[in-house]
Amino acid sequence: MLTSLLGILRPYPSPLFSRRGIDLDFPLLAGCLTLLGLGLVMITSASSEVAAVQSGNPLYHMIRHLVYIVIGIGAAGLMMIIPLATWQRMGWMLLVAAFGLLVLVLVPGIGREVNGSMRWIGFGLFNVQPSELAKVFVVIFLAGYLVRRQEEVRESWMGFFKPFIVLLPMAGLLLMEPDFGATVVMMGAAAAMLFLGGVGLFRFSLMVALAVGAVFVLVQAQPYRMARLVTFTDPWADQFGSGYQLTQALIAFGRGEWLGVGLGNSIQKQFYLPEAHTDFVFAVLAEELGLVGALATVGLFVFVSVRALYIGLWAEKAKQFFAAYVAYGLAFLWIGQFLINIGVNVGLLPTKGLTLPFLSYGGSSLVICCACLGLLLRIEWERRTVLGSEDVDFVESDFAEDKRAEEIAHGR
């Protein structure tokens, strides 16, 4: 079956089936695979005690995480095969799908509540988090909008405000879950895309001011958000109450010192630090690998994020504007989650339930991160080939290989 599938896909140009064989951006791929491998190691270490008590198998979460990695790699491969033009045509359909999923997750009996939040839709052994899909679908839709309405976005207020007719209702659905962190990441990525799409500095500054005001209002509207804001400024004032999670994370950083206590030797993961293998896996990493390991991990994240931004820049120089805006948006999704998660772990931001890309335990987040990687690899490959370039004219010889593959498929 696999051989038949490969035979069907091979005639279609892609980074996996090109004239040069597997033709990928290896620096980005190597950086992300390193993060995936590091994440698997840290999930195994951070979850072993909890898994042993909850399931009787200390490797329970590691096995599930490994399954998610395999699914994620499959998703990345699929994204590399699908042409960018297909995503551009499907932008509005993906947006409708995102709204549908965000509405479904709020329906009792369909959405699954965990820790007071309705963020997941259960599918047997797995849960799907619609907000992870919605963020990517918004990036694809907005990239298409910026290409179609480029002059309007740059020159008129209406072109600037139109995307918010879509973004604000979606942000409202995310806040109903509630998922404040995903809302901030999505709106931040959208704002960055609009700025890079040519929005003037005055209008962009106004948008930032309105966003800051909206965040202030949202924090004031819910007592628990204000409590988190007050707590993170001085967690030691209530270290066994509202500040417990952050104080335990800070203890983990302190115990790690320069070189760490050694892989697997964390004390904080032994029921002191809640969510040690999800939201606070970076704190366990810092405890076991020390400041040196933590800074090396941050360096990896900086590398893959900057590489993703450069892929967008290269695509823009090649006049592949849709590809460029998608790359920018995906890069800022990674950057937003990375900054918020690390900020929460070190006490610079209030506690939020956002995973660390490629590292934290969580099926939806991990699979979507891998899919984004596949999409970025496809963008980089199309930029280096004739696909999507306005400056390249096709000639008959460009399709010689495709014709030969067709003849082989028909037995000629």
Side-chain angles (χ1 to χ4, degrees):
M1 181 177 179
L2 180 60
T3 304
S4 301
L5 180 62
L6 292 176
I8 295 172
L9 295 176
R10 194 174 298 278
Y12 299 95
S14 76
L16 299 178
F17 305 107
S18 70
R19 295 175 182 177
R20 292 187 291 179
I22 298 177
D23 187 14
L24 301 174
D25 182 55
F26 284 102
L28 178 64
L29 180 63
C32 291
L33 289 179
T34 302
L35 287 172
L36 281 174
L38 179 61
L40 181 62
V41 172
M42 293 314 306
I43 293 301
T44 304
S45 175
S47 67
S48 58
E49 302 293 335
V50 174
V53 171
Q54 292 180 347
S55 67
N57 179 8
L59 300 180
Y60 173 78
H61 289 108
M62 184 273 284
I63 294 171
R64 288 178 64 90
H65 191 74
L66 188 58
V67 171
Y68 294 143
I69 289 177
V70 173
I71 296 173
I73 292 174
L78 180 63
M79 297 298 283
M80 282 186 274
I81 292 172
I82 301 174
L84 288 174
T86 302
W87 296 114
Q88 188 170 3
R89 289 193 301 269
M90 293 175 60
W92 68 271
M93 290 183 282
L94 295 176
L95 185 70
V96 172
F99 271 107
L101 289 170
L102 292 177
V103 170
L104 279 177
V105 77
L106 297 173
V107 177
I110 297 179
R112 182 179 177 184
E113 184 175 348
V114 178
N115 295 330
S117 298
M118 295 279 286
R119 300 180 185 176
W120 294 267
I121 297 177
F123 290 94
L125 297 175
F126 299 97
N127 294 322
V128 174
Q129 192 170 356
S131 61
E132 295 292 338
L133 286 167
K135 288 184 292 187
V136 178
F137 290 171
V138 163
V139 165
I140 294 173
F141 170 79
L142 189 55
Y145 174 81
L146 290 172
V147 171
R148 295 190 305 271
R149 306 285 185 176
Q150 192 171 58
E151 293 301 320
E152 188 178 357
V153 169
R154 292 178 177 179
E155 297 178 1
S156 72
W157 284 93
M158 186 56 67
F160 170 66
F161 280 117
K162 277 182 181 178
F164 292 97
I165 298 174
V166 171
L167 293 172
L168 291 179
M170 186 167 290
L173 290 172
L174 287 171
L175 291 172
M176 290 173 67
E177 295 183 3
D179 195 344
F180 188 68
T183 306
V184 171
V185 170
M186 182 190 74
M187 297 300 286
M193 290 175 68
L194 286 169
F195 180 71
L196 293 173
V199 170
L201 186 60
F202 175 73
R203 280 176 285 169
F204 182 76
S205 301
L206 178 62
M207 177 178 60
V208 171
L210 291 174
V212 172
V215 170
F216 179 77
V217 171
L218 289 171
V219 169
Q220 293 283 348
Q222 294 291 339
Y224 78 91
R225 290 180 186 144
M226 179 55 70
R228 284 183 176 180
L229 187 62
V230 173
T231 299
F232 101 95
T233 58
D234 186 14
W236 303 102
D238 189 15
Q239 67 182 87
F240 296 110
S242 57
Y244 178 77
Q245 201 167 23
L246 179 54
T247 55
Q248 296 302 315
L250 294 176
I251 290 171
F253 279 94
R255 293 193 73 253
E257 297 184 350
W258 286 98
L259 299 177
V261 297
L263 189 62
N265 293 328
S266 169
I267 299 297
Q268 295 306 106
K269 70 181 181 182
Q270 299 179 14
F271 305 99
Y272 291 101
L273 178 61
E275 309 296 338
H277 60 296
T278 55
D279 300 343
F280 284 88
V281 68
F282 187 74
V284 177
L285 183 150
E287 183 182 3
E288 295 189 349
L289 304 183
L291 180 63
V292 173
L295 290 178
T297 304
V298 170
L300 269 175
F301 275 112
V302 171
F303 172 75
V304 299
S305 299
V306 171
R307 187 74 180 182
L309 289 174
Y310 265 104
I311 287 174
L313 178 61
W314 296 331
E316 188 172 4
K317 287 182 177 179
K319 298 184 180 180
Q320 300 176 15
F321 296 110
F322 174 76
Y325 295 140
V326 170
Y328 290 145
L330 297 180
F332 281 109
L333 288 181
W334 286 358
I335 292 169
Q337 285 195 221
F338 162 69
L339 290 177
I340 291 176
N341 185 278
I342 299 295
V344 166
N345 273 254
V346 301
L348 293 177
L349 293 173
T351 304
K352 290 306 307 167
L354 273 180
T355 56
L356 190 58
F358 296 105
L359 243 70
S360 294
Y361 178 82
S364 296
S365 175
L366 185 64
V367 172
I368 293 301
C369 282
C370 291
C372 291
L373 168 62
L375 188 51
L376 285 166
L377 292 173
R378 175 79 195 195
I379 290 170
E380 195 276 336
W381 179 78
E382 286 200 11
R383 191 269 309 174
R384 288 187 288 107
T385 62
V386 294
L387 294 179
S389 176
E390 296 179 359
D391 298 329
V392 176
D393 294 325
F394 290 99
V395 295
E396 187 175 355
S397 60
D398 291 327
F399 300 95
E401 184 179 0
D402 295 342
K403 288 183 178 180
R404 177 60 182 160
E406 188 179 273
E407 290 175 0
I408 294 174
H410 288 83
R412 289 183 288 179

